Amino acid sequence: MINPEFSLPVAVPLRFFATAPWWLLLAAVLFAGHAPEVLASRYHPATLAIVHLMMLGFAGNIMLGALLQISAVLAGARAQRPVLAGWLVWGALQAGTALLSAGLWLMQPLLLQAAGAVLGVMLLAFTGWLFTRLWRSPAVDASTAGLRWSVAGLGLTVACGILLLLVLTRGVALPLPDVLRLHVLFGSMGWVFPLLASVALTVVPMFLVTPPWPQRLARLLVPLNALMLLLLAVWPVLLPLLVLPVLLFVLQLLRSLKASKRGADPARWLWAWGGVNLLLVCALAPWLDALPRLNPVLLGGQFLCGALLPIHTAMLGKIVPFLLWLDYRASVPVGRKLRHMGQLFPERWLRGLGGLALAVGLTWPLALASIWPVLVLLLAYGVALLLVIHRACRNARAAITG
């Protein structure tokens, strides 16, 4: 259940959301200059750098901003000084992303070690603190339980990333392929998927007016995914089973969206398109080695451009106006007529962003033939997202003062 009284100061999550498009634009520009190398190998330094610009810089800012806000309003998990804590987490994430991406691009050990120190200290401290707060929270809903698993997955992802940096920069005797496999596994399915599922349990019924998710599925989905991850960590041969929790999630998501009372809402088809792409990627990923024609870079890019981009667009299109409206409502004197969320963030903005996100996902598989369609669309999406967030904030300020 949403408790708006526990909401963070609006500047805290918005700072993360407003920063994300800059990392997307940087990744797109670097991709434009090194597309052949990136598409040829998933282990090329340029590929590794761009992937982390997207996953840490773009997706990471959106997910951490959403995690901070949703943990506060669902479970009451917030710092005593949220503005200061938000600045610390935000600053460390930007510095760590820059150091890590530069270190991977140049394969410079000192930069990689600095990135490991900044990201390791910040993210491990953050996940430890937030997991403790979520564990002690009296909230018993499925979304809060899913957030606990997601935060644990983030901690495991960071731990594996630090181990990878130690192997690369200090020559620590660990099996690099196994640690890399766990890093990717925990990052995508231990951190990202549980967070998306937990957000969907709350955001989809709330903003798209759908029936609540079946209680049994809502409570068992993320723990089932965690069980699959544990089995896969020990027996990698079971990787095809990882599609099962994703299949359950997507089928229920589509069923809920079909019953939505907001049939024309662009967030509806953005969630559906992202969910289908997530299922497709998870179904194909176990067969990368068995299918030589299946390009791993294209498949990873489809996870980012086909699955995460539309879902994150749908999330931002609902969370940003809701946060601005809550702040506006609290700032307006009693008795003044309130504006509605659509006056702060018109639905046509989300429709435009959603159209660009859909086009990016459709053109990404054609990148081997030509990178320019997807590149132009990515740049257009990044600029549009920046403008939309800026204009929404300006509308909210004007509503408060006017």
Coordinates of all heavy atoms in Angstrom, one line a residue, residues 219-309:
R219 N 3.3 -13.4 -4.4 CA 4.2 -13.7 -3.3 C 5.2 -14.7 -3.6 O 6.3 -14.7 -3.1 CB 3.3 -14.3 -2.1 CG 2.4 -13.2 -1.4 CD 1.9 -13.7 -0.1 NE 1.1 -12.6 0.5 CZ 1.7 -11.6 1.2 NH1 3.0 -11.6 1.4 NH2 0.9 -10.7 1.8
L220 N 5.0 -15.6 -4.6 CA 5.9 -16.7 -4.9 C 6.8 -16.4 -6.1 O 7.8 -17.0 -6.3 CB 5.1 -18.0 -5.2 CG 4.4 -18.6 -4.0 CD1 3.6 -19.8 -4.5 CD2 5.3 -18.9 -2.9
L221 N 6.4 -15.4 -7.0 CA 7.2 -15.1 -8.2 C 8.6 -14.8 -7.9 O 9.5 -15.5 -8.5 CB 6.5 -14.0 -9.0 CG 7.2 -13.6 -10.3 CD1 7.2 -14.7 -11.3 CD2 6.6 -12.3 -10.8
V222 N 8.9 -13.8 -7.1 CA 10.3 -13.4 -6.9 C 11.1 -14.5 -6.1 O 12.2 -14.8 -6.4 CB 10.4 -12.0 -6.2 CG1 11.8 -11.7 -5.9 CG2 9.8 -11.0 -7.1
P223 N 10.5 -15.1 -5.0 CA 11.2 -16.2 -4.4 C 11.5 -17.4 -5.4 O 12.6 -18.0 -5.3 CB 10.3 -16.6 -3.3 CG 9.5 -15.4 -3.0 CD 9.3 -14.7 -4.3
L224 N 10.6 -17.7 -6.3 CA 10.9 -18.7 -7.3 C 12.1 -18.3 -8.1 O 12.9 -19.2 -8.4 CB 9.6 -18.9 -8.1 CG 9.8 -19.9 -9.3 CD1 10.1 -21.3 -8.9 CD2 8.5 -19.9 -10.2
N225 N 12.1 -17.1 -8.5 CA 13.2 -16.6 -9.3 C 14.5 -16.7 -8.5 O 15.6 -17.1 -9.1 CB 13.0 -15.1 -9.7 CG 14.1 -14.6 -10.6 OD1 14.3 -14.9 -11.7 ND2 14.9 -13.7 -10.0
A226 N 14.5 -16.4 -7.2 CA 15.7 -16.5 -6.4 C 16.2 -18.0 -6.3 O 17.4 -18.3 -6.3 CB 15.4 -15.9 -5.0
L227 N 15.2 -18.9 -6.2 CA 15.5 -20.3 -6.1 C 16.2 -20.7 -7.4 O 17.2 -21.5 -7.4 CB 14.3 -21.1 -5.9 CG 14.4 -22.6 -5.9 CD1 15.4 -23.1 -4.8 CD2 13.1 -23.3 -5.7
M228 N 15.7 -20.3 -8.6 CA 16.3 -20.6 -9.9 C 17.7 -20.1 -9.9 O 18.6 -20.7 -10.4 CB 15.4 -20.0 -11.0 CG 14.1 -20.6 -11.2 SD 14.2 -22.4 -11.7 CE 12.5 -22.8 -11.8
L229 N 17.9 -18.8 -9.4 CA 19.3 -18.3 -9.5 C 20.2 -19.1 -8.6 O 21.4 -19.3 -9.0 CB 19.2 -16.8 -9.0 CG 18.6 -15.8 -9.9 CD1 18.6 -14.4 -9.2 CD2 19.4 -15.7 -11.2
L230 N 19.8 -19.6 -7.5 CA 20.6 -20.4 -6.6 C 21.0 -21.7 -7.3 O 22.2 -22.1 -7.3 CB 19.9 -20.7 -5.3 CG 20.6 -21.6 -4.3 CD1 21.9 -20.9 -3.9 CD2 19.8 -21.9 -3.1
L231 N 20.0 -22.3 -8.0 CA 20.3 -23.6 -8.7 C 21.3 -23.3 -9.8 O 22.2 -24.1 -10.1 CB 19.0 -24.2 -9.2 CG 18.0 -24.7 -8.1 CD1 16.7 -25.1 -8.8 CD2 18.6 -25.8 -7.4
L232 N 21.1 -22.2 -10.5 CA 21.9 -21.9 -11.7 C 23.4 -21.6 -11.3 O 24.3 -21.8 -12.0 CB 21.4 -20.8 -12.5 CG 20.1 -21.1 -13.3 CD1 19.5 -19.8 -13.9 CD2 20.4 -22.1 -14.4
A233 N 23.5 -20.9 -10.1 CA 24.8 -20.6 -9.6 C 25.6 -21.9 -9.4 O 26.9 -21.9 -9.5 CB 24.7 -19.8 -8.3
V234 N 25.0 -23.0 -9.0 CA 25.6 -24.3 -8.7 C 25.7 -25.1 -10.0 O 26.7 -25.8 -10.3 CB 24.9 -25.0 -7.6 CG1 25.6 -26.3 -7.3 CG2 24.9 -24.1 -6.3
W235 N 24.6 -25.2 -10.7 CA 24.5 -26.0 -11.9 C 24.1 -25.2 -13.1 O 22.9 -25.0 -13.5 CB 23.4 -27.1 -11.7 CG 23.8 -28.1 -10.6 CD1 24.8 -29.0 -10.6 CD2 23.1 -28.2 -9.4 NE1 24.8 -29.7 -9.4 CE2 23.7 -29.3 -8.7 CE3 21.9 -27.7 -8.8 CZ2 23.3 -29.7 -7.4 CZ3 21.5 -28.1 -7.6 CH2 22.2 -29.1 -6.9
P236 N 25.1 -24.6 -13.8 CA 24.8 -23.7 -15.0 C 24.0 -24.4 -16.1 O 23.4 -23.7 -16.9 CB 26.2 -23.3 -15.5 CG 27.1 -23.5 -14.3 CD 26.5 -24.7 -13.5
V237 N 24.1 -25.7 -16.1 CA 23.3 -26.5 -17.2 C 21.8 -26.3 -17.1 O 21.1 -26.5 -18.1 CB 23.7 -28.0 -17.1 CG1 23.1 -28.6 -15.9 CG2 23.3 -28.7 -18.4
L238 N 21.3 -25.8 -16.0 CA 19.9 -25.6 -15.8 C 19.5 -24.2 -16.3 O 18.3 -23.8 -16.0 CB 19.5 -25.7 -14.3 CG 19.8 -27.1 -13.6 CD1 19.4 -27.0 -12.1 CD2 19.0 -28.2 -14.3
L239 N 20.3 -23.5 -17.0 CA 20.0 -22.1 -17.4 C 18.7 -22.0 -18.1 O 18.0 -21.0 -18.0 CB 21.1 -21.6 -18.3 CG 21.0 -20.1 -18.6 CD1 21.0 -19.2 -17.4 CD2 22.2 -19.7 -19.6
P240 N 18.3 -23.0 -19.0 CA 17.0 -22.8 -19.7 C 15.8 -22.7 -18.7 O 14.7 -22.1 -19.1 CB 16.9 -24.1 -20.5 CG 18.3 -24.5 -20.8 CD 19.0 -24.1 -19.5
L241 N 15.9 -23.2 -17.5 CA 14.8 -23.1 -16.5 C 14.6 -21.6 -16.0 O 13.5 -21.3 -15.5 CB 15.1 -23.9 -15.3 CG 15.2 -25.4 -15.5 CD1 15.4 -26.2 -14.2 CD2 13.9 -26.0 -16.1
L242 N 15.5 -20.7 -16.3 CA 15.4 -19.4 -15.8 C 14.2 -18.6 -16.5 O 13.7 -17.7 -15.9 CB 16.7 -18.6 -16.0 CG 16.8 -17.2 -15.3 CD1 16.7 -17.4 -13.8 CD2 18.1 -16.6 -15.7
V243 N 13.8 -19.1 -17.6 CA 12.7 -18.5 -18.3 C 11.4 -18.7 -17.6 O 10.4 -17.9 -17.8 CB 12.6 -19.0 -19.8 CG1 12.0 -20.4 -19.8 CG2 11.8 -18.1 -20.6
L244 N 11.3 -19.7 -16.7 CA 10.0 -20.0 -16.0 C 9.4 -18.8 -15.2 O 8.3 -18.4 -15.4 CB 10.1 -21.2 -15.2 CG 10.4 -22.5 -15.9 CD1 10.5 -23.7 -15.0 CD2 9.2 -22.8 -16.9
P245 N 10.2 -18.2 -14.3 CA 9.6 -17.1 -13.6 C 9.3 -15.9 -14.5 O 8.3 -15.2 -14.3 CB 10.6 -16.7 -12.5 CG 11.9 -17.4 -13.0 CD 11.5 -18.6 -13.8
V246 N 10.1 -15.7 -15.5 CA 9.8 -14.6 -16.4 C 8.5 -14.9 -17.2 O 7.7 -14.0 -17.5 CB 11.0 -14.4 -17.4 CG1 10.7 -13.3 -18.4 CG2 12.3 -14.1 -16.6
L247 N 8.3 -16.1 -17.6 CA 7.1 -16.5 -18.3 C 5.9 -16.3 -17.5 O 4.9 -15.7 -17.9 CB 7.2 -18.0 -18.7 CG 6.0 -18.6 -19.4 CD1 5.7 -17.8 -20.8 CD2 6.1 -20.1 -19.7
L248 N 6.0 -16.7 -16.2 CA 4.8 -16.4 -15.3 C 4.6 -14.9 -15.1 O 3.4 -14.5 -15.1 CB 5.1 -17.0 -13.9 CG 5.2 -18.6 -13.8 CD1 5.6 -19.0 -12.5 CD2 3.8 -19.2 -14.2
F249 N 5.6 -14.2 -15.0 CA 5.5 -12.7 -14.9 C 4.8 -12.1 -16.1 O 3.9 -11.3 -16.0 CB 6.8 -12.1 -14.6 CG 6.9 -10.6 -14.7 CD1 6.3 -9.8 -13.8 CD2 7.5 -10.0 -15.8 CE1 6.3 -8.4 -13.9 CE2 7.5 -8.6 -16.0 CZ 6.9 -7.8 -15.0
V250 N 5.3 -12.4 -17.3 CA 4.8 -11.8 -18.5 C 3.4 -12.2 -18.8 O 2.6 -11.4 -19.2 CB 5.8 -12.1 -19.7 CG1 5.2 -11.6 -21.0 CG2 7.1 -11.5 -19.5
L251 N 3.1 -13.5 -18.6 CA 1.7 -13.9 -18.8 C 0.7 -13.2 -17.9 O -0.4 -12.7 -18.4 CB 1.6 -15.4 -18.6 CG 2.2 -16.3 -19.7 CD1 2.1 -17.8 -19.3 CD2 1.6 -16.1 -21.1
Q252 N 1.0 -13.0 -16.7 CA 0.1 -12.3 -15.8 C 0.1 -10.8 -16.1 O -0.9 -10.2 -16.0 CB 0.6 -12.5 -14.3 CG -0.3 -11.8 -13.3 CD -1.8 -12.2 -13.4 OE1 -2.1 -13.3 -13.5 NE2 -2.6 -11.2 -13.4
L253 N 1.3 -10.3 -16.5 CA 1.3 -8.9 -16.9 C 0.4 -8.6 -18.1 O -0.4 -7.7 -18.1 CB 2.8 -8.5 -17.2 CG 3.0 -7.1 -17.8 CD1 2.7 -6.0 -16.7 CD2 4.4 -6.9 -18.2
L254 N 0.5 -9.5 -19.1 CA -0.4 -9.3 -20.2 C -1.9 -9.5 -19.9 O -2.7 -8.7 -20.4 CB 0.0 -10.3 -21.3 CG 1.4 -10.1 -21.9 CD1 1.7 -11.2 -22.9 CD2 1.6 -8.7 -22.6
R255 N -2.1 -10.4 -19.0 CA -3.5 -10.6 -18.6 C -4.0 -9.4 -17.8 O -5.2 -8.9 -18.0 CB -3.6 -11.8 -17.7 CG -5.0 -12.3 -17.3 CD -5.0 -13.6 -16.5 NE -4.5 -14.7 -17.2 CZ -3.3 -15.3 -16.9 NH1 -2.7 -15.0 -15.8 NH2 -2.9 -16.3 -17.6
S256 N -3.2 -8.8 -17.0 CA -3.6 -7.6 -16.3 C -3.8 -6.4 -17.2 O -4.8 -5.7 -17.1 CB -2.6 -7.2 -15.2 OG -2.5 -8.2 -14.2
L257 N -2.9 -6.3 -18.1 CA -3.0 -5.1 -19.1 C -4.2 -5.3 -20.0 O -4.8 -4.2 -20.3 CB -1.7 -5.1 -19.9 CG -0.4 -4.7 -19.2 CD1 0.8 -4.9 -20.1 CD2 -0.5 -3.3 -18.6
K258 N -4.6 -6.5 -20.3 CA -5.8 -6.7 -21.1 C -7.0 -6.2 -20.4 O -8.0 -5.7 -21.0 CB -5.9 -8.2 -21.5 CG -7.1 -8.5 -22.4 CD -7.1 -9.9 -22.8 CE -8.3 -10.2 -23.7 NZ -8.4 -11.7 -24.0
A259 N -7.0 -6.4 -19.0 CA -8.2 -6.0 -18.2 C -8.1 -4.5 -17.8 O -9.0 -4.1 -17.0 CB -8.3 -6.9 -17.0
S260 N -7.1 -3.8 -18.2 CA -7.0 -2.4 -17.8 C -8.1 -1.5 -18.3 O -8.7 -1.7 -19.4 CB -5.7 -1.8 -18.4 OG -5.6 -0.4 -18.2
K261 N -8.5 -0.6 -17.4 CA -9.6 0.3 -17.7 C -9.1 1.6 -18.4 O -9.8 2.5 -18.7 CB -10.4 0.7 -16.5 CG -11.1 -0.5 -15.8 CD -11.9 -0.1 -14.6 CE -12.7 -1.3 -14.0 NZ -13.4 -0.9 -12.8
R262 N -7.8 1.6 -18.6 CA -7.2 2.7 -19.4 C -6.5 2.2 -20.7 O -5.3 2.2 -20.8 CB -6.1 3.4 -18.5 CG -6.7 4.2 -17.3 CD -5.6 4.9 -16.5 NE -4.8 5.8 -17.4 CZ -5.2 7.0 -17.7 NH1 -6.4 7.5 -17.3 NH2 -4.4 7.7 -18.5
G263 N -7.4 1.8 -21.5 CA -7.0 1.1 -22.8 C -6.1 2.0 -23.7 O -5.3 1.4 -24.4
A264 N -6.3 3.3 -23.6 CA -5.6 4.2 -24.5 C -4.3 4.7 -23.9 O -3.5 5.4 -24.6 CB -6.4 5.4 -24.9
D265 N -4.0 4.3 -22.7 CA -2.8 4.8 -22.0 C -1.5 4.2 -22.6 O -1.4 3.0 -22.7 CB -2.8 4.4 -20.5 CG -1.8 5.2 -19.7 OD1 -0.7 5.3 -20.1 OD2 -2.2 5.7 -18.6
P266 N -0.6 5.0 -23.1 CA 0.6 4.5 -23.7 C 1.4 3.6 -22.8 O 2.2 2.7 -23.3 CB 1.4 5.7 -24.2 CG 0.8 6.8 -23.4 CD -0.6 6.5 -23.1
A267 N 1.4 3.8 -21.5 CA 2.1 2.9 -20.6 C 1.7 1.5 -20.7 O 2.5 0.6 -20.4 CB 2.0 3.4 -19.1
R268 N 0.4 1.3 -21.1 CA -0.1 -0.1 -21.3 C 0.7 -0.9 -22.3 O 1.2 -2.0 -22.0 CB -1.6 0.0 -21.6 CG -2.3 -1.3 -21.7 CD -3.8 -1.1 -21.8 NE -4.6 -2.3 -22.1 CZ -5.0 -2.6 -23.3 NH1 -4.8 -1.8 -24.3 NH2 -5.7 -3.7 -23.5
W269 N 0.8 -0.3 -23.5 CA 1.6 -1.1 -24.5 C 3.1 -1.0 -24.3 O 3.8 -1.9 -24.8 CB 1.2 -0.7 -25.9 CG 1.2 0.8 -26.3 CD1 0.1 1.6 -26.2 CD2 2.3 1.6 -26.7 NE1 0.5 2.9 -26.6 CE2 1.8 2.9 -26.9 CE3 3.6 1.3 -26.9 CZ2 2.6 3.9 -27.3 CZ3 4.5 2.3 -27.3 CH2 4.0 3.6 -27.5
L270 N 3.6 -0.1 -23.6 CA 5.0 -0.1 -23.3 C 5.4 -1.2 -22.3 O 6.4 -1.9 -22.5 CB 5.4 1.3 -22.6 CG 5.5 2.5 -23.6 CD1 5.6 3.8 -22.8 CD2 6.7 2.3 -24.5
W271 N 4.6 -1.4 -21.3 CA 4.8 -2.6 -20.4 C 4.7 -3.9 -21.2 O 5.5 -4.8 -21.0 CB 3.8 -2.6 -19.3 CG 4.2 -1.8 -18.1 CD1 3.7 -0.5 -17.7 CD2 5.1 -2.1 -17.0 NE1 4.3 -0.1 -16.5 CE2 5.2 -1.1 -16.1 CE3 5.9 -3.3 -16.8 CZ2 6.0 -1.1 -15.0 CZ3 6.7 -3.3 -15.7 CH2 6.7 -2.3 -14.8
A272 N 3.7 -4.0 -22.1 CA 3.5 -5.2 -22.8 C 4.7 -5.5 -23.7 O 5.2 -6.6 -23.8 CB 2.2 -5.1 -23.6
W273 N 5.1 -4.5 -24.5 CA 6.2 -4.6 -25.4 C 7.5 -5.0 -24.6 O 8.2 -5.9 -25.0 CB 6.4 -3.3 -26.2 CG 7.6 -3.3 -27.1 CD1 8.7 -2.4 -26.9 CD2 7.9 -4.0 -28.2 NE1 9.6 -2.6 -27.9 CE2 9.2 -3.6 -28.7 CE3 7.2 -5.0 -28.9 CZ2 9.8 -4.1 -29.9 CZ3 7.8 -5.6 -30.1 CH2 9.1 -5.1 -30.5
G274 N 7.8 -4.3 -23.6 CA 8.9 -4.6 -22.8 C 8.9 -6.0 -22.2 O 9.9 -6.7 -22.2
G275 N 7.7 -6.4 -21.7 CA 7.6 -7.7 -21.1 C 7.9 -8.8 -22.1 O 8.5 -9.8 -21.9
V276 N 7.3 -8.7 -23.3 CA 7.5 -9.7 -24.4 C 8.9 -9.8 -24.8 O 9.5 -10.9 -25.0 CB 6.6 -9.4 -25.6 CG1 7.0 -10.2 -26.8 CG2 5.1 -9.6 -25.2
N277 N 9.6 -8.6 -24.9 CA 11.0 -8.7 -25.2 C 11.9 -9.3 -24.1 O 12.9 -10.0 -24.4 CB 11.5 -7.3 -25.5 CG 11.3 -6.8 -27.0 OD1 12.0 -7.2 -27.9 ND2 10.2 -6.1 -27.2
L278 N 11.5 -9.0 -22.9 CA 12.2 -9.6 -21.8 C 12.1 -11.2 -21.8 O 13.1 -11.9 -21.6 CB 11.7 -9.1 -20.4 CG 12.3 -9.7 -19.2 CD1 13.7 -9.3 -19.1 CD2 11.5 -9.2 -17.9
L279 N 10.9 -11.6 -22.1 CA 10.7 -13.1 -22.2 C 11.5 -13.7 -23.4 O 12.1 -14.7 -23.3 CB 9.2 -13.4 -22.4 CG 8.8 -14.8 -22.6 CD1 9.2 -15.6 -21.4 CD2 7.3 -14.9 -22.8
L280 N 11.5 -12.9 -24.5 CA 12.3 -13.4 -25.7 C 13.8 -13.5 -25.4 O 14.4 -14.5 -25.7 CB 12.0 -12.4 -26.9 CG 12.8 -12.7 -28.1 CD1 12.4 -14.0 -28.8 CD2 12.7 -11.5 -29.1
V281 N 14.3 -12.5 -24.8 CA 15.7 -12.5 -24.4 C 16.1 -13.7 -23.5 O 17.1 -14.4 -23.7 CB 16.2 -11.2 -23.9 CG1 17.6 -11.3 -23.3 CG2 16.1 -10.1 -24.9
C282 N 15.2 -13.9 -22.5 CA 15.5 -14.9 -21.5 C 15.3 -16.3 -22.1 O 16.0 -17.3 -21.7 CB 14.6 -14.8 -20.3 SG 14.9 -13.4 -19.3
A283 N 14.5 -16.4 -23.1 CA 14.3 -17.7 -23.8 C 15.5 -18.1 -24.7 O 15.8 -19.2 -24.8 CB 13.0 -17.7 -24.6
L284 N 16.1 -17.0 -25.3 CA 17.2 -17.3 -26.2 C 18.5 -17.3 -25.6 O 19.4 -18.0 -26.1 CB 17.2 -16.2 -27.3 CG 16.0 -16.2 -28.3 CD1 16.1 -15.0 -29.2 CD2 16.0 -17.5 -29.1
A285 N 18.7 -16.6 -24.5 CA 20.0 -16.5 -23.8 C 20.7 -17.8 -23.5 O 21.9 -18.0 -23.7 CB 19.9 -15.7 -22.6
P286 N 20.0 -18.9 -23.1 CA 20.7 -20.1 -22.8 C 21.3 -20.8 -24.0 O 22.1 -21.7 -23.8 CB 19.5 -21.0 -22.2 CG 18.5 -20.0 -21.7 CD 18.6 -18.9 -22.6
W287 N 20.9 -20.4 -25.2 CA 21.3 -21.1 -26.4 C 22.3 -20.3 -27.2 O 22.5 -20.6 -28.4 CB 20.1 -21.4 -27.3 CG 18.9 -22.0 -26.5 CD1 17.8 -21.4 -26.1 CD2 18.9 -23.3 -25.9 NE1 17.0 -22.3 -25.3 CE2 17.7 -23.4 -25.2 CE3 19.8 -24.4 -25.9 CZ2 17.3 -24.6 -24.5 CZ3 19.4 -25.6 -25.2 CH2 18.2 -25.6 -24.5
L288 N 22.9 -19.4 -26.6 CA 23.9 -18.6 -27.3 C 25.1 -19.4 -27.9 O 25.5 -19.2 -29.0 CB 24.5 -17.5 -26.4 CG 23.8 -16.2 -26.2 CD1 24.4 -15.3 -25.2 CD2 23.7 -15.5 -27.6
D289 N 25.6 -20.3 -27.1 CA 26.7 -21.2 -27.6 C 26.2 -22.2 -28.6 O 27.0 -22.6 -29.5 CB 27.4 -21.9 -26.4 CG 28.0 -20.9 -25.4 OD1 28.4 -19.8 -25.9 OD2 28.1 -21.2 -24.2
A290 N 25.0 -22.6 -28.5 CA 24.5 -23.7 -29.4 C 24.0 -23.1 -30.8 O 23.9 -23.8 -31.7 CB 23.3 -24.4 -28.8
L291 N 23.8 -21.8 -30.8 CA 23.3 -21.1 -32.0 C 24.3 -20.1 -32.5 O 24.3 -18.9 -32.0 CB 21.9 -20.5 -31.8 CG 20.8 -21.4 -31.4 CD1 19.6 -20.6 -31.0 CD2 20.5 -22.4 -32.5
P292 N 25.3 -20.5 -33.3 CA 26.4 -19.6 -33.7 C 25.9 -18.3 -34.4 O 26.5 -17.2 -34.3 CB 27.2 -20.4 -34.7 CG 26.9 -21.8 -34.4 CD 25.4 -21.8 -33.9
R293 N 24.7 -18.3 -35.0 CA 24.2 -17.1 -35.7 C 23.5 -16.2 -34.8 O 23.2 -15.0 -35.1 CB 23.2 -17.5 -36.8 CG 23.8 -18.3 -38.0 CD 22.8 -18.5 -39.1 NE 23.4 -19.2 -40.2 CZ 22.8 -19.5 -41.3 NH1 21.5 -19.1 -41.5 NH2 23.4 -20.1 -42.3
L294 N 23.4 -16.5 -33.5 CA 22.7 -15.7 -32.5 C 23.8 -14.8 -31.9 O 24.7 -15.2 -31.1 CB 22.1 -16.5 -31.4 CG 21.2 -15.8 -30.4 CD1 20.1 -15.1 -31.1 CD2 20.7 -16.8 -29.4
N295 N 23.8 -13.5 -32.3 CA 24.8 -12.6 -31.9 C 24.6 -12.1 -30.5 O 23.5 -11.6 -30.1 CB 24.8 -11.3 -32.8 CG 25.9 -10.3 -32.6 OD1 26.2 -10.0 -31.4 ND2 26.6 -10.0 -33.6
P296 N 25.5 -12.4 -29.6 CA 25.3 -12.1 -28.1 C 25.2 -10.6 -27.9 O 24.5 -10.2 -27.0 CB 26.6 -12.6 -27.4 CG 27.6 -12.8 -28.5 CD 26.8 -13.1 -29.8
V297 N 25.9 -9.8 -28.7 CA 25.7 -8.3 -28.5 C 24.3 -7.8 -28.9 O 23.7 -7.0 -28.2 CB 26.8 -7.6 -29.3 CG1 26.6 -6.1 -29.2 CG2 28.2 -8.0 -28.9
L298 N 23.8 -8.4 -30.0 CA 22.5 -8.0 -30.4 C 21.5 -8.5 -29.3 O 20.5 -7.8 -29.1 CB 22.1 -8.7 -31.8 CG 22.7 -8.0 -33.0 CD1 22.2 -8.7 -34.3 CD2 22.4 -6.5 -33.1
L299 N 21.7 -9.7 -28.8 CA 20.7 -10.2 -27.8 C 20.8 -9.3 -26.5 O 19.8 -8.9 -25.9 CB 21.0 -11.6 -27.4 CG 20.0 -12.3 -26.6 CD1 18.7 -12.4 -27.3 CD2 20.5 -13.7 -26.2
G300 N 22.0 -9.0 -26.1 CA 22.2 -8.1 -24.9 C 21.6 -6.7 -25.2 O 20.9 -6.1 -24.3
G301 N 21.8 -6.2 -26.4 CA 21.2 -4.9 -26.8 C 19.7 -5.0 -26.8 O 19.0 -4.0 -26.5
Q302 N 19.1 -6.1 -27.2 CA 17.6 -6.2 -27.1 C 17.1 -6.2 -25.7 O 16.0 -5.7 -25.5 CB 17.2 -7.5 -27.9 CG 15.8 -7.6 -28.3 CD 15.4 -6.5 -29.3 OE1 16.3 -6.0 -30.0 NE2 14.1 -6.1 -29.3
F303 N 17.9 -6.8 -24.8 CA 17.5 -6.7 -23.4 C 17.4 -5.2 -22.9 O 16.5 -4.8 -22.2 CB 18.5 -7.4 -22.5 CG 18.3 -7.3 -21.0 CD1 17.3 -8.0 -20.4 CD2 19.2 -6.5 -20.3 CE1 17.1 -7.9 -19.0 CE2 19.0 -6.4 -18.9 CZ 17.9 -7.1 -18.3
L304 N 18.4 -4.4 -23.4 CA 18.5 -3.0 -23.0 C 17.4 -2.2 -23.8 O 16.7 -1.4 -23.2 CB 19.9 -2.4 -23.2 CG 21.0 -2.9 -22.3 CD1 22.3 -2.5 -22.8 CD2 20.8 -2.2 -20.9
C305 N 17.4 -2.3 -25.1 CA 16.6 -1.5 -25.9 C 15.2 -2.0 -26.1 O 14.3 -1.2 -26.3 CB 17.3 -1.3 -27.3 SG 18.9 -0.6 -27.3
G306 N 15.0 -3.3 -26.1 CA 13.7 -3.8 -26.4 C 12.9 -4.1 -25.1 O 11.7 -4.0 -25.1
A307 N 13.6 -4.4 -24.0 CA 12.9 -4.7 -22.7 C 13.0 -3.6 -21.7 O 11.9 -3.0 -21.3 CB 13.5 -6.0 -22.1
L308 N 14.2 -3.2 -21.3 CA 14.3 -2.1 -20.3 C 13.8 -0.8 -20.7 O 13.2 0.0 -20.0 CB 15.7 -2.1 -19.8 CG 16.3 -3.3 -19.1 CD1 17.6 -3.0 -18.4 CD2 15.3 -3.9 -18.1
L309 N 14.2 -0.4 -22.0 CA 13.9 1.0 -22.4 C 12.3 1.3 -22.4 O 11.9 2.3 -21.8 CB 14.4 1.3 -23.8 CG 14.5 2.7 -24.3 CD1 15.4 3.5 -23.4 CD2 14.9 2.8 -25.7

